[in-house]
Amino acid sequence: MESIEKEKKSVDKVWSFFSSIKLAVVVFTLISLTSIVGTIVEQDAEPEKNIKLLTKFFGSSAPDAFRVLDALGFTNMFHSWWFVTFLFVFAANLIICSLDRLPGILKLVKTPIRPLAASGFSSMQIKRETVIKGKADKVVPLLESAIKSAGYTPAISNEAEGTQLCAEKGRYSRLGVYVTHFSILLIFAGAIIGIFGGFNASLNLLEGTESSVAFGRNGKEIPLGFSIACEDFDVLYYENSDTPKSFRSKLLIFENGKPVKIDGKEVTDIEVNTPLKYKGITFYQSSYGFSPNKDSEFRLGLMSRDGKREDVRIKFGGTFVIPGTNVVGKVLDFSPAIGVDPSGKLYTYAEQMHNPAVLIEFSENGKPKYTQWLLKRFPNTWAVADGVVEFKDLWGAQYTGLQVRKDPGVWVVYLGCLIMAVGLYAAFFMSHSKIWVLVREEKNNTRVFVAATANKNRVSLEGKIDRLMKTVGDKQ
Amino acid sequence: MDSSQFFGISSIAYILAMVTYIAYLVFRNSTVGLVATTITTVGFVAQTLAFFMRGKEFYDLAQLGSILRAIPLTNLYESLVFFVWCIILGYLLIEWKYKNRSFGAFITPIAGMVLAFIDISGMDKNIHPLIPALQSNWLLAHVTMSFLAYAAFAISFATAVMFLAVSSEDEKSWPYITWTVTLGVFIAVLVAMGIDFLVFKVGAHSTESLVKSHLFKASFRNGAMPVALFSYLALAGFIFAVWKYGKVLKRIIESFEISQDMLDELVYKSIAVGFPVFTLGGLIFGAIWADQAWGKYWSWDPKETWSLITWFVYAFFLHARFLKGWRGNKIAAVSVLGFVSTIFTYLGVNLLLSGLHSYGGG
């Protein structure tokens, strides 16, 4: 017996520890303060970056300070065991706090409004009193319709002190707080499902290549179950500026070596805000890069002066002939971002393909005639003496950086968000209001007592009651 | 007429309104009060029109194909202007609901000062097309709701400081020290930032790195030791002056006949509006958008983390009020703390920390 008692006591202790608001405050504070540190110390970054930052605070002992922070997990703190523990304690606190208060609230929510004892009328937040001419049986329907037009459905009962009408609205809004708490737990659950059932990875795909794996943290290979190929990557710019308008990858999915149709198409375009989803795995456009190699090819559209057209693909140092002529073009030089400095000299101003340009030497019968720079973004540079050479693309030189994610818990998180919106609406914008009206006959008149209460927005209820009194007063 | 002319009209209107509201407090003439309200409303309507016109100009420039994406809320200039709009909206609602014009003399100077600051600093006002990450239909909901919440928190903060001022008498009591030091630091920081902008014209460059390397460089972080030292001494002196003469301000506020109960209610009500809007628009819509754009609904990016900290502070505010029955000084102090966190979420993160949310600094 004694041991059971003891056990019960210790269970009670644990329960009251987890349900205390003090614990909530401590956990809130711990999460907030450590998070502040986590936003200052750059997370998951190269040590040099943080040591440089710490030098501002600790001077020459910054490397030691860094070692201490690193050992304590602050350099990747949002995934450290102790931060995750804080989050779990927060969840436990939320669960037990809610369970602690829920029975009382449920009882309150389940019990409909009851007539109020006459003595109770004087102790309510909102109270009014008036005298109306005529008998009670005439006044009661008047009151009933007035309460109805205020948006309430009154119940009429005969009490010792006289006829009473009582009505309430928004009883279930009292659950709003608990719905909100529950939604937070649901979001937590969704996050846990995502962590254990999914993955976060990245993948760089050079134009014209494919891969059946993505790379997780520390370069771990994660098989996709199919393979994905990048046909083309392109950056579109706003006119006359280097502000990118769109990053676009053309992607293909292959299963068992055969291309798969998605929405009826083999090639899917993705952009920053429009990812590609296939078999629970989502591919997001997240970065790009320039990495020219021996397989990169210049794609040119040729047109002679008498309108003969031909498309050619050549590699660096390769040659082509303008159709219908003896003019041979040869790629001499390439710049991913060509610019002109104030003295008129050409130079390369970026390592990405911001303004790609190709230098072509034209010769006829083995004799060099002229050289010309063709700029991909500026069609007016494509006209040459013997026709038009359209610089379409340097293909196979850019890679697309994809964020690859599988998260089976995301729908739980979304559901949690939806429920949270509902809970917050109930908690902040709805109130539980109650109205009691006691009708007492006095000779030829009827005395009416009105009492009302609301757990929120009392001012608006008071206005309603005043309008109600006015309606009844006018109608008599 | 284009949007900048309407913005000009609204700037002038807010500054005129400021003068009229102060005249109203001095003369207590209801006609003057009505004129003040009319001028503010005209300014507000002009700014609303300007906002839509800028949206149209933006839409024509960027050709984004979706009207939802054409909201001019993509850099520091536009967000400050929108912040002013939200504050004036909040103020007009309070005036209408409480039939009290006294706050006008506090709120319109803030609006006027922000707009004047934008002009003096030579901040970049040009319309820039949207970078790919911002091209989403969630931009509208996420950004406007976040700003509405920030403005609600700002109103709560202003009323909380006023509450502390009205309720405290003893110069050595913590509520008195809290409000005077907060106000002192607040004004000093604004002045220091203003000096930075004037000295370096950083706004004209419109890049985040410039703001980063110039913040407080004209004062606290100046390379010349004497200047920095003098700045700190000036700060201390200024805070001391506010502390010493805070009672003068207290008398002024008291003469506006604003009751403590009304202030206490406004401190809470602004948060009761701001908190759900912030949760839904700032955190939830932000998470959904992040999920679509980056493939992660939550990545502990500094902006996200600071939003969460702010959210915790206001959640604490609500629990303290409802479960522990906190009222008055204590709850006002929590509101002040909440707004400090809000400011850091809005500006500090963009200016001081690096992360994915680096659009607002330009």
Side-chain angles (χ1 to χ4, degrees):
Chain A
M1 274 307 275
E2 215 172 77
S3 69
I4 293 174
E5 280 284 296
K6 251 189 193 165
E7 208 170 272
K8 212 181 159 199
K9 251 190 189 162
S10 59
V11 167
D12 278 353
K13 259 190 192 161
V14 171
W15 182 271
S16 65
F17 170 76
F18 274 107
S19 69
S20 76
I21 189 143
K22 260 190 203 143
L23 178 69
V25 170
V26 170
V27 176
F28 267 34
T29 315
L30 278 174
I31 293 179
S32 300
L33 292 180
T34 50
S35 292
I36 292 175
V37 178
T39 59
I40 296 168
V41 175
E42 210 169 312
Q43 299 293 301
D44 235 357
E46 290 108 46
E48 292 75 32
K49 266 190 177 171
N50 279 318
I51 292 175
K52 205 178 142 205
L53 180 85
L54 289 168
T55 312
K56 283 184 198 162
F57 302 100
F58 299 99
S60 58
S61 49
D64 295 321
F66 176 78
R67 266 192 290 279
V68 172
L69 280 178
D70 196 37
L72 290 174
F74 276 101
T75 48
N76 189 12
M77 75 156 253
F78 296 109
H79 305 100
S80 70
W81 64 269
W82 49 265
F83 191 78
V84 174
T85 308
F86 290 163
L87 293 178
F88 272 101
V89 173
F90 173 53
N93 182 240
L94 203 59
I95 294 171
I96 304 221
C97 257
S98 302
L99 285 181
D100 211 36
R101 286 169 230 275
L102 199 57
I105 292 288
L106 275 180
K107 209 176 147 195
L108 200 73
V109 166
K110 275 186 189 155
T111 348
I113 188 169
R114 262 186 283 235
L116 192 65
S119 59
F121 275 77
S122 57
S123 61
M124 279 296 154
Q125 296 162 328
I126 302 168
K127 45 187 186 259
R128 299 282 185 277
E129 198 181 320
T130 188
V131 177
I132 297 174
K133 274 184 202 151
K135 295 270 180 195
D137 55 353
K138 197 194 108 198
V139 174
V140 169
L142 211 65
L143 285 166
E144 192 185 357
S145 76
I147 294 172
K148 267 188 185 156
S149 64
Y152 293 78
T153 319
I156 304 169
S157 61
N158 286 311
E159 303 297 314
E161 303 91 352
T163 308
Q164 201 172 124
L165 298 93
C166 51
E168 66 179 333
K169 220 162 79 172
R171 188 146 41 95
Y172 285 92
S173 75
R174 284 186 186 268
L175 287 173
V177 174
Y178 300 93
V179 172
T180 308
H181 285 178
F182 173 70
S183 73
I184 296 174
L185 294 171
L186 208 57
I187 291 171
F188 266 37
I192 292 168
I193 295 172
I195 289 166
F196 289 102
F199 61 80
N200 250 314
S202 59
L203 176 63
N204 289 340
L205 271 183
L206 196 68
E207 289 167 321
T209 62
E210 66 171 86
S211 172
S212 58
V213 292
F215 300 91
R217 276 175 66 92
N218 311 321
K220 201 183 113 201
E221 276 191 19
I222 299 168
L224 298 172
F226 51 86
S227 66
I228 182 158
C230 173
E231 190 185 87
D232 193 20
F233 173 80
D234 219 351
V235 183
L236 303 178
Y237 294 92
Y238 288 104
E239 245 173 78
N240 301 322
S241 90
D242 275 351
T243 306
K245 185 177 185 181
S246 149
F247 305 117
R248 185 181 298 158
S249 299
K250 291 184 183 295
L251 301 180
L252 285 143
I253 302 269
F254 291 95
E255 274 206 80
N256 307 320
K258 280 181 202 138
V260 176
K261 280 190 181 177
I262 297 167
D263 293 332
K265 286 177 299 183
E266 283 179 3
V267 179
T268 308
D269 284 7
I270 69 160
E271 290 179 36
V272 175
N273 275 293
T274 44
L276 162 68
K277 205 163 186 178
Y278 183 70
K279 289 203 167 164
I281 299 177
T282 318
F283 298 89
Y284 300 85
Q285 181 71 57
S286 79
S287 67
Y288 65 101
F290 179 58
S291 152
N293 55 74
K294 63 176 174 50
D295 293 324
S296 307
E297 58 185 30
F298 294 93
R299 295 189 166 175
L300 307 173
L302 309 175
M303 192 169 84
S304 67
R305 279 203 292 205
D306 49 7
K308 280 186 194 126
R309 285 170 179 279
E310 192 189 343
D311 283 349
V312 292
R313 297 172 175 191
I314 52 164
K315 296 202 170 144
F316 202 86
T319 58
F320 59 87
V321 180
I322 296 179
T325 68
N326 293 326
V327 180
V328 176
K330 185 181 177 198
V331 175
L332 281 189
D333 199 0
F334 172 78
S335 164
I338 203 161
V340 185
D341 73 6
S343 66
K345 264 192 193 150
L346 297 174
Y347 74 112
T348 296
Y349 66 88
E351 282 168 23
Q352 299 284 353
M353 291 202 351
H354 287 324
N355 188 18
V358 61
L359 180 65
I360 296 193
E361 181 193 60
F362 294 91
S363 52
E364 199 164 14
N365 305 325
K367 278 182 214 146
K369 278 177 92 180
Y370 51 91
T371 60
Q372 186 166 334
W373 281 101
L374 312 175
L375 278 63
K376 184 178 173 227
R377 288 177 57 193
F378 296 92
N380 57 341
T381 62
W382 298 344
V384 299
D386 298 283
V388 176
V389 181
E390 181 189 349
F391 180 18
K392 287 181 172 168
D393 199 9
L394 172 64
W395 184 84
Q398 288 192 100
Y399 63 84
T400 179
L402 302 172
Q403 174 84 26
V404 186
R405 191 198 64 173
K406 183 180 170 191
D407 189 347
V410 74
W411 292 108
V412 181
V413 172
Y414 278 6
L415 184 68
C417 289
L418 191 73
I419 292 175
M420 184 183 278
V422 173
L424 285 172
Y425 183 80
F428 284 99
F429 301 117
M430 287 168 76
S431 76
H432 180 199
S433 55
K434 301 183 205 173
I435 302 174
W436 293 272
V437 180
L438 178 63
V439 181
R440 192 186 284 162
E441 233 171 45
E442 293 177 343
K443 289 180 198 162
N444 294 325
N445 295 331
T446 305
R447 192 171 282 276
V448 176
F449 300 89
V450 178
T453 172
N455 65 340
K456 263 171 298 193
N457 211 353
R458 205 188 306 158
V459 183
S460 121
L461 180 63
E462 203 154 4
K464 264 187 200 166
I465 296 296
D466 283 334
R467 277 194 296 280
L468 189 142
M469 299 300 284
K470 198 169 168 288
T471 327
V472 176
D474 289 346
K475 274 195 185 159
Q476 61 168 299
Chain B
M1 283 175 99
D2 64 4
S3 64
S4 60
Q5 281 160 309
F6 277 99
F7 276 126
I9 293 173
S10 64
S11 308
I12 296 166
Y14 293 150
I15 289 162
L16 270 180
M18 173 177 92
V19 177
T20 327
Y21 273 116
I22 292 168
Y24 164 72
L25 287 173
V26 176
F27 299 116
R28 307 264 159 189
N29 180 318
S30 60
T31 316
V32 177
L34 199 65
V35 170
T37 307
T38 313
I39 296 174
T40 314
T41 313
V42 167
F44 182 73
V45 171
Q47 201 187 354
T48 312
L49 280 175
F51 188 73
F52 281 111
M53 285 167 76
R54 195 174 166 95
K56 172 83 171 56
E57 287 157 22
F58 191 67
Y59 181 73
D60 291 344
L61 176 89
Q63 292 158 1
L64 295 165
S66 166
I67 202 85
L68 287 175
R69 296 178 190 183
I71 56 152
L73 262 180
T74 51
N75 58 29
L76 191 61
Y77 163 71
E78 288 166 345
S79 60
L80 279 175
V81 169
F82 187 65
F83 183 67
V84 168
W85 185 86
C86 292
I87 283 197
I88 295 288
L89 173 69
Y91 166 69
L92 286 173
L93 285 175
I94 289 172
E95 186 187 299
W96 173 69
K97 183 136 188 176
Y98 290 87
K99 311 277 177 257
N100 187 326
R101 290 201 169 91
S102 308
F103 291 108
F106 284 99
I107 304 281
T108 48
I110 296 177
M113 267 163 54
V114 172
L115 295 177
F117 170 70
I118 289 169
D119 267 339
I120 297 167
S121 66
M123 198 176 283
D124 183 9
K125 292 183 189 174
N126 294 324
I127 295 175
H128 294 284
L130 279 184
I131 59 165
L134 293 180
Q135 292 168 17
S136 162
N137 293 345
W138 289 102
L139 177 68
L140 178 73
H142 174 58
V143 181
T144 49
M145 285 176 79
S146 298
F147 271 94
L148 279 171
Y150 291 162
F153 294 152
I155 289 173
S156 175
F157 165 77
T159 46
V161 170
M162 283 160 85
F163 180 91
L164 291 172
V166 173
S167 77
S168 58
E169 193 59 53
D170 182 8
E171 282 173 12
K172 291 193 177 68
S173 67
W174 71 262
Y176 185 87
I177 295 173
T178 306
W179 85 263
T180 48
V181 171
T182 307
L183 195 67
V185 170
F186 225 75
I187 297 172
V189 166
L190 279 181
V191 170
M193 282 171 76
I195 296 173
D196 285 332
F197 268 88
L198 294 182
V199 170
F200 299 114
K201 291 269 175 203
V202 280
H205 299 294
S206 88
T207 48
E208 190 197 359
S209 62
L210 276 176
V211 178
K212 266 187 185 169
S213 54
H214 286 303
L215 189 73
F216 300 139
K217 272 284 155 71
S219 48
F220 305 118
R221 290 169 62 203
N222 196 288
M225 195 53 187
V227 178
L229 198 67
F230 176 77
S231 305
Y232 278 107
L233 284 176
L235 173 71
F238 187 75
I239 292 171
F240 180 76
V242 176
W243 175 76
K244 187 82 188 160
Y245 298 104
K247 285 203 174 143
V248 179
L249 205 67
K250 175 181 151 75
R251 303 268 175 281
I252 298 174
I253 299 173
E254 277 170 347
S255 73
F256 294 165
E257 287 167 9
I258 302 171
S259 74
Q260 287 193 24
D261 282 347
M262 184 177 159
L263 288 172
D264 187 53
E265 193 182 310
L266 275 173
V267 170
Y268 162 68
K269 282 228 162 138
S270 316
I271 290 173
V273 171
F275 185 78
V277 172
F278 182 63
T279 313
L280 188 68
L283 294 174
I284 295 181
F285 289 173
I288 297 174
W289 185 7
D291 186 38
Q292 285 191 1
W294 301 323
K296 280 178 186 170
Y297 51 82
W298 192 265
S299 47
W300 296 104
D301 157 75
K303 193 95 171 176
E304 289 171 351
T305 310
W306 271 98
S307 302
L308 186 70
I309 294 169
T310 303
W311 191 78
F312 271 151
V313 177
Y314 287 113
F316 173 75
F317 175 99
L318 295 166
H319 287 84
R321 195 177 160 102
F322 284 113
L323 288 178
K324 292 279 160 184
W326 282 20
R327 291 286 188 281
N329 286 334
K330 275 182 173 168
I331 208 81
V334 181
S335 166
V336 169
L337 181 67
F339 191 61
V340 171
S341 177
T342 305
I343 292 212
F344 203 83
T345 308
Y346 170 30
L347 288 176
V349 171
N350 293 64
L351 301 183
L352 302 174
L353 305 173
S354 60
L356 297 164
H357 264 92
S358 53
Y359 323 115

